[in-house]
Amino acid sequence: MRDTNEIFGSDILLDENGQAVVAANGELVWGNGLTAVTQDIRLRVFTLLGGLFYDRYCGSTIPDYIHDDNTKTNRLSLTAEVKRRLELDPRVLAGTVTSQILKWDETGVMIEARWNFWDTEE
């Protein structure tokens, strides 16, 4: 089995506000392995589709659902969007993504998503 850093790659580490993490010496901090892939997936899910000037295909329509009504159609559509966007990541094993809505009320939406990665037991 290959090393997770080799499979998942590396990326500039972002903080919870989406800003690059800078070390005390002024250099950018890099995330590797599971940290990198988790960050990439989080960005894909929470970035509005077309919101990145350098990649108009990155992102999702998931943020659009935040203020929508909790209807059966919206629930099905949202869980399908989560699955579709996660399966776009080449490190995610197609056919393993599941998503379910845990909570949807006037305060927000909480979704659980699960998947398997290629070539790893993670």
Side-chain angles (χ1 to χ4, degrees), residues 41-100:
I41 288 172
R42 186 175 292 121
L43 281 172
R44 180 184 300 277
V45 169
F46 292 113
T47 300
L48 189 59
L49 185 62
L52 296 177
F53 71 90
Y54 56 87
D55 185 355
R56 64 187 180 127
Y57 299 107
C58 185
S60 74
T61 61
I62 294 168
D64 291 339
Y65 289 89
I66 292 171
H67 299 292
D68 278 355
D69 292 330
N70 181 2
T71 65
K72 183 177 181 179
T73 301
N74 284 344
R75 291 171 76 88
L76 290 171
S77 180
L78 177 54
T79 54
E81 174 69 356
V82 169
K83 182 177 179 180
R84 180 174 39 254
R85 296 303 165 180
L86 290 175
E87 287 186 342
L88 285 175
D89 191 299
R91 298 161 292 192
V92 172
L93 184 61
T96 66
V97 178
T98 61
S99 68
Q100 66 176 342

